[in-house]
Every structure is written in C-alpha cells, then in structure tokens.
C-alpha cells in the first residue's frame, strides 16, 4: 500500500513556466513533509520541507502548499529552468518512528 | 563538512550470492538509514541504525541485515540474493530526532546492485 501518492508521473514545462507536483496521504500521524530532488546517478537531495501547522512555505523559486484537511501537499516551482530537470519525490514521516515514506516520483523536463 | 559516501558505486552479483555495501555518514551525524530504490520508484525504507542498534525496520526480510560502527559508519548485508534485489541502495545519515531537529535525511549517491 502506497502511503504517499504522487502525481503526475512525468511533467514537461516550458522555461519560465510553473511546475506543479501534487502528493496526497492518508496517515494523520505524519508530521513532516519534505521534497527531494534527484538527478540521474545521484542520491536524492532535500529541497524544501514543511510541517502541517503551516499552510505554505517558500524558499526562492520553490514553494510548498499544504492542505491539512484534504491531506494533500504540493510543490510549485516558479520560473522553471532547464537546470530544474530532475525527478522530484515527496515524502512524509510520522510523529513517532524514523521511517520516511516516499512517493513514486515525478520526472520533470523543462524545455528551453 | 564531509558528505555521505557509499561504496562500491556499482556491483554485479549472481542469484544466491551475498553482498555487503558500505556507508560513511556525514560528519556530526549519529544515525544511518538504508533505503532501496528500484528503477522508476521512490526509495523504500529498509532500516535505521542509532547507537549501533537497529532503530526501526521496514518491510524487508531478515536476509537484509546491517551494522553500525562506533564511528557511525554502517554496512548493509544482503544474503541469498534474488533477482528482485537489483536496485539502487541508498544510505542516508541524519541526527537523531529531537525537539531541536527534524531528523532530515542526507543521502549518499548510492550503490547500484545488479543481480543476474
């Protein structure tokens, strides 16, 4: 059973456009929601993270929107650049335990 | 600051063999987690080690085992390899969760295992 569901599987965006990736979860015990960026041949790197007591967090061109009642959260990449082309994973962790649950990933391609 | 390093980067084994993967944690981190990432999938939690003891385990059989050493480095051992064990094995270090930190993961570049 997939604890965190991610969509879309792939995304193609023009340079300068907005990329939006969505995730949904069921477990209300999750209390930490990071997003990771992974380039081919590399390990995932933490991009930005949010706690459920905050509805939005922005760092540079990257924004997480969090809807606790809907149990959904999304990553918005503003002014998308070709260098943003990578696979993005959402994740969640419970308020006890140490396991992170990852989504299945979104392959983003930004066309120049 | 030294990041997470893993070895070997690539290896090929045959079904039934055993493999050991190694990980050096990021400087200052005391916790190591291992994840399996199949092609086209997100990482799946195998287990975590803290203070040289297993501190949480995902849905993986006992033939997946590990160690953590006093310097916080770690090993992942997989016995009786199966074809489905072919994957990227990721090590992540972190600080133990507390009121002062989130326990966020810092990943290495992984060890790509192919089982024939």
């Amino acid at each position: 059973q997939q604890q965190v569901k991610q969509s879309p599987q792939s995304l193609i965006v023009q340079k300068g456009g907005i990329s939006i990736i969505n995730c949904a979860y069921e477990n209300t015990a999750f209390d930490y929601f990071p997003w990771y960026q992974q380039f081919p041949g590399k390990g995932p790197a933490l991009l930005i993270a949010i706690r459920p007591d905050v509805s939005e967090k922005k760092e540079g061109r990257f924004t997480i929107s969090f809807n606790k009642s809907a149990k959904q959260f999304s990553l918005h990449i503003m002014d998308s650049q070709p260098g943003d082309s990578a696979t993005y994973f959402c994740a969640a962790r419970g308020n006890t335990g140490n396991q992170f649950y990852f989504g299945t990933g979104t392959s983003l391609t930004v066309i120049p | 600051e030294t990041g997470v390093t893993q070895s070997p980067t690539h290896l090929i084994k045959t079904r039934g063999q055993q493999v050991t993967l190694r990980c050096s944690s990021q400087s200052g981190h005391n916790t190591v987690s291992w994840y399996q990432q199949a092609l086209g999938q997100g990482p799946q939690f195998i287990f975590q080690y803290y203070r040289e003891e297993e501190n949480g385990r995902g849905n993986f059989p006992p033939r997946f085992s590990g160690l953590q050493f006093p310097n916080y480095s770690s090993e992942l051992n997989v016995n009786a390899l199966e074809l489905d064990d072919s994957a990227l094995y990721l090590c992540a270090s972190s600080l133990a969760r507390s009121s002062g930190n989130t326990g966020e993961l810092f990943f290495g570049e992984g060890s790509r295992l192919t089982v024939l």
Side-chain angles (χ1 to χ4, degrees):
Chain A
Q1 182 185 6
Q2 191 71 30
Q3 294 269 1
V4 179
K5 296 182 180 179
Q6 184 173 347
S7 64
Q9 184 176 356
S10 62
L11 182 61
I12 300 174
V13 174
Q14 292 275 23
K15 179 183 175 181
I18 302 174
S19 304
I20 302 174
I21 304 170
N22 301 299
C23 284
Y25 65 98
E26 286 297 326
N27 189 342
T28 56
F30 288 154
D31 72 344
Y32 181 64
F33 301 88
W35 284 88
Y36 285 84
Q37 179 189 56
Q38 186 175 29
F39 292 104
K42 302 292 186 181
L46 179 67
L47 196 59
I48 186 173
I50 198 168
R51 289 194 180 277
D53 53 350
V54 176
S55 61
E56 184 175 283
K57 182 175 182 180
K58 183 176 181 179
E59 290 184 1
R61 297 185 293 110
F62 301 93
T63 299
I64 299 179
S65 297
F66 192 88
N67 186 329
K68 187 174 181 178
S69 61
K71 291 185 281 187
Q72 295 175 349
F73 58 111
S74 59
L75 175 69
H76 296 234
I77 306 174
M78 311 301 288
D79 187 27
S80 299
Q81 299 296 312
D84 297 330
S85 297
T87 300
Y88 292 81
F89 293 96
C90 60
R93 189 191 62 195
N95 52 16
T96 61
N98 306 296
Q99 179 176 355
F100 280 79
Y101 297 88
F102 285 80
T104 51
T106 296
S107 176
L108 171 66
T109 302
V110 181
I111 301 172
Chain B
E1 184 178 86
T2 306
V4 178
T5 58
Q6 294 186 240
S7 63
T9 55
H10 295 81
L11 68 167
I12 300 173
K13 293 285 187 178
T14 57
R15 194 171 48 183
Q17 285 189 313
Q18 178 265 343
V19 67
T20 297
L21 308 178
R22 296 177 176 83
C23 172
S24 294
S25 61
Q26 182 168 310
S27 177
H29 286 178
N30 54 16
T31 301
V32 174
S33 303
W34 286 92
Y35 284 78
Q36 180 195 64
Q37 186 177 20
L39 199 62
Q41 299 296 316
Q44 298 285 322
F45 177 70
I46 302 175
F47 42 55
Q48 182 184 84
Y49 276 82
Y50 173 63
R51 292 185 175 179
E52 301 176 49
E53 293 192 357
E54 189 177 287
N55 186 37
R57 186 179 185 93
N59 189 27
F60 280 81
R63 58 189 186 85
F64 286 78
S65 63
L67 287 172
Q68 186 184 30
F69 301 99
N71 66 353
Y72 306 127
S73 66
S74 177
E75 287 183 354
L76 165 65
N77 299 288
V78 186
N79 294 321
L81 285 167
E82 301 177 359
L83 297 180
D84 285 349
D85 295 333
S86 295
L88 181 68
Y89 288 85
L90 295 163
C91 171
S93 73
S94 60
L95 290 171
R97 287 179 71 171
S98 69
S99 59
N101 74 79
T102 58
E104 64 187 50
L105 301 176
F106 293 83
F107 284 93
E109 296 193 347
S111 294
R112 171 75 63 187
L113 171 65
T114 301
V115 181
L116 302 177

